[in-house]
Amino acid sequence: MATTFEVKSDPQLWADLKMDVERFQKVPPVLTKLYQDIFLSQTNRPEEMAYFDRMIENIYSGRIQEMIAAKEAGKPVIGTFCVYVPEEIIQAADGLCIGLCGGSQATIPDAETVLPRNICPMVKSAFGFKISGMCPFFQAVDFVYGETTCDAKKKTWELLDKHVPTHVMEIPQLKRERDKQLWLEEVKDFKKAVEKIIGNEISAPELRTAIDTLNAKRSALQRLNDLRHHNPSPISGRDMLLIQQIAFYDDPARFTAQVNQLCDELEIRCQNNNVIAPKETPRIMISGTPMALPNWKLHNIIENSGAVIVNEESCIGTRYYKDTIDTATADMDEMLDKLTERYMKIDCSCFTPNDDRIDQVIAEFKASGAQGLIDYCLQFCHTYNIEAVKLREACEKEGIPFMAIESDYSPEDVGQLQTRVEAFIEQIQD
Ligand code: BJ8
């Protein structure tokens, strides 16, 4: 295990950001220990994971300083909660797009002083981070862009707006031609809002370059995901999840270069049969709701139970990168049209009907060489929870072993989940 790993502190920076420094300085040592236990305890990790370890070491210091430097240079720094917010437009304005979804139990009691208890933990965690002054990312953004994907989120934006300027994009919930038109108008409004910050119109070449940058990022993640499908897998599910989480706050070009470097290493590892676990290791695919940093709970349980995770059909997973934008045009209106088309392919369960997602899950299952599917649903996420019914039916039809798990961020159900996961792993090996 690397002993030099340490999540860095920067109390002066946090004080400048008006955080609760006294409380927050307890976080880096806790994250250091958690990271050492979950990630650095693995054996034979790819060497190129060192970059992603450094990203975690600098999560509360170096990356925040980069955000502040960007702000001081007049660049927009925008917080988002959903993969429907078109980050190409932020990139075209030379801005930073930072994912703010919360994956920690620590701020849920703060959120519950305001929000009802029985809503999604991701929404509560993120809201709690803001109202408690416990997230440097939240403190460093100019404003946040919410969306109307689910009830918990869209009503929380009204309350969040009191603490940080919160704009809302309307995301339609059907995918007819008239919905596409509505969505295109929303994309154009989003572009205008970003242009207002920079005091300039985004030009067609700027948007084109941004599309190329984000396409390259998504392609690199596709390449990485294809490589992990190799049997035996050259990288653990925990490390893959980590990389997919870091994708939401790292610089896109730098991140892409690092992912491609990791892919180069994994190609060689596959050729040399230098892998993370033996060929007979049970292979599991995850589908469902996103796992925001530092939600590593289910991956840790599954891989500690002797299986390897080989795919995440999730927004912190393939839904983020399975589609790129058609680059056949450099005309602004046509690019916005193609961009909208690409975003409409994201198959979030907030859409109805959403049968494309069921087909996508089955296709990814087959491509990944998984032996069983675990559908993960955050507590109180009604759309994913109900969509699991159709997913189960589709799996039964295909003969795919299926298990649905509903959980939150608390450690209370770990023992029970462990028992269920172990039984499932036994079942898929029979
Ligand atoms: S596109 S999955 S990132 S909305 S917050 S819907 S878990 S109850 S996150 Fe999401 Fe965009 Fe869809 Fe993806 Fe459920 Fe929780 Fe709502 Fe959630």
Side-chain angles (χ1 to χ4, degrees):
M1 186 199 292
T3 49
T4 53
F5 176 88
E6 186 179 5
V7 177
K8 295 194 181 105
S9 293
D10 193 338
Q12 186 55 53
L13 175 72
W14 304 336
D16 293 345
L17 289 169
K18 300 188 174 45
M19 294 176 64
D20 181 343
V21 178
E22 200 185 329
R23 184 173 163 197
F24 192 68
Q25 39 198 12
K26 298 186 187 119
V27 173
V30 173
L31 184 59
T32 299
K33 172 82 173 67
L34 188 68
Y35 195 81
Q36 283 172 335
D37 290 350
I38 295 180
F39 293 93
L40 303 182
S41 60
Q42 300 174 96
T43 50
N44 199 22
R45 284 175 91 212
E47 282 176 20
E48 296 293 340
M49 284 309 297
Y51 170 79
F52 303 98
D53 294 342
R54 280 201 308 280
M55 281 302 295
I56 295 296
E57 284 188 309
N58 289 308
I59 188 168
Y60 302 135
S61 52
R63 185 58 179 145
I64 307 299
Q65 284 155 4
E66 288 179 352
M67 287 169 71
I68 290 167
K71 255 170 97 165
E72 285 172 358
K75 298 176 183 182
V77 179
I78 298 175
T80 64
F81 295 89
C82 179
V83 296
Y84 280 120
V85 176
E87 59 183 296
E88 287 80 0
I89 294 190
I90 303 171
Q91 178 75 20
D94 205 15
L96 271 64
C97 176
I98 304 289
L100 291 176
C101 284
S104 165
Q105 175 70 13
T107 54
I108 287 188
D110 298 280
E112 287 177 351
T113 62
V114 179
L115 295 172
R117 272 195 68 243
N118 55 346
I119 62 169
C120 171
M122 188 147 58
V123 174
K124 283 192 288 187
S125 174
F127 185 78
F129 270 119
K130 180 61 204 173
I131 64 167
S132 62
M134 286 283 283
C135 173
F137 288 94
F138 234 130
Q139 300 302 104
V141 296
D142 289 310
F143 59 85
V144 301
Y145 246 101
E147 18 56 54
T148 57
T149 45
C150 75
D151 292 351
K153 281 179 164 184
K154 79 181 171 208
K155 296 308 289 180
T156 299
W157 307 147
E158 295 172 24
L159 305 178
L160 186 65
D161 191 43
K162 289 186 198 151
H163 304 275
V164 56
T166 304
H167 301 261
V168 180
M169 267 189 98
E170 181 169 358
I171 305 293
Q173 308 210 330
L174 275 81
K175 292 185 177 173
R176 302 158 303 185
E177 188 49 37
R178 72 182 109 150
D179 301 305
K180 185 186 162 194
Q181 285 315 312
L182 182 151
W183 208 335
L184 181 57
E185 291 308 314
E186 288 293 307
V187 168
K188 287 180 180 169
D189 283 355
F190 179 70
K191 176 168 163 285
K192 275 190 208 137
V194 173
E195 288 171 341
K196 206 168 154 195
I197 313 173
I198 55 170
N200 258 322
E201 273 193 30
I202 293 168
S203 69
E206 283 167 342
L207 182 58
R208 178 54 206 260
T209 304
I211 287 174
D212 289 344
T213 301
L214 272 302
N215 275 356
K217 179 181 174 184
R218 297 187 211 279
S219 300
L221 284 163
Q222 284 170 14
R223 181 184 170 207
L224 181 59
N225 204 43
D226 287 348
L227 276 162
R228 82 190 286 203
H229 293 165
H230 184 268
N231 189 6
S233 191
I235 184 167
S236 70
R238 274 169 280 191
D239 281 335
M240 277 299 298
L241 176 62
L242 177 77
I243 294 165
Q244 293 167 128
Q245 290 169 331
I246 289 173
F248 287 87
Y249 74 90
D250 197 2
D251 171 77
R254 178 174 66 195
F255 175 85
T256 303
Q258 293 295 331
V259 170
N260 277 320
Q261 254 174 256
L262 172 62
C263 290
D264 294 344
E265 182 188 352
L266 295 191
E267 274 172 5
I268 295 167
R269 284 170 70 105
C270 288
Q271 281 160 19
N272 297 342
N273 208 27
N274 181 8
V275 291
I276 195 78
K279 201 172 170 104
E280 57 277 11
T281 307
R283 295 164 69 85
I284 287 184
M285 172 173 151
I286 303 289
S287 60
T289 49
M291 296 170 176
L293 262 173
N295 179 9
W296 302 313
K297 182 173 158 180
L298 185 60
H299 276 54
N300 197 33
I301 291 171
I302 293 172
E303 296 203 330
N304 281 343
S305 303
V308 61
I309 297 167
V310 292
N311 203 79
E312 290 88 10
E313 184 277 332
S314 164
C315 287
I316 300 183
T318 56
R319 277 201 296 278
Y320 176 65
Y321 51 80
K322 71 182 171 61
D323 307 304
T324 52
I325 297 179
D326 181 341
T327 53
T329 176
D331 172 81
M332 178 60 84
D333 285 337
E334 286 173 10
M335 280 191 288
L336 291 176
D337 200 64
K338 295 290 175 205
L339 178 148
T340 305
E341 268 172 22
R342 182 260 161 206
Y343 277 83
M344 284 193 80
K345 286 186 197 150
I346 301 170
D347 38 21
C348 176
S349 63
C350 66
F351 280 87
T352 184
N354 196 34
D355 293 338
D356 287 352
R357 173 167 173 252
I358 308 297
D359 297 342
Q360 179 69 23
V361 173
I362 302 295
E364 287 183 24
F365 183 89
K366 290 178 180 168
S368 69
Q371 295 159 280
L373 180 71
I374 297 184
D375 191 57
Y376 172 71
C377 185
L378 281 168
Q379 226 175 27
F380 307 116
C381 179
H382 304 314
T383 55
Y384 278 95
N385 213 352
I386 295 170
E387 200 155 278
V389 175
K390 277 193 167 179
L391 196 50
R392 180 187 291 275
E393 284 167 6
C395 285
E396 279 168 5
K397 209 166 135 206
E398 295 281 340
I400 295 172
F402 176 91
M403 178 166 76
I405 279 181
E406 192 183 351
S407 186
D408 60 10
Y409 300 156
S410 85
E412 278 163 28
D413 60 352
V414 166
Q416 186 211 31
L417 289 178
Q418 182 95 38
T419 308
R420 290 185 63 202
V421 164
E422 282 168 4
F424 186 68
I425 291 172
E426 254 179 54
Q427 179 200 334
I428 67 176
Q429 283 177 298
D430 286 345

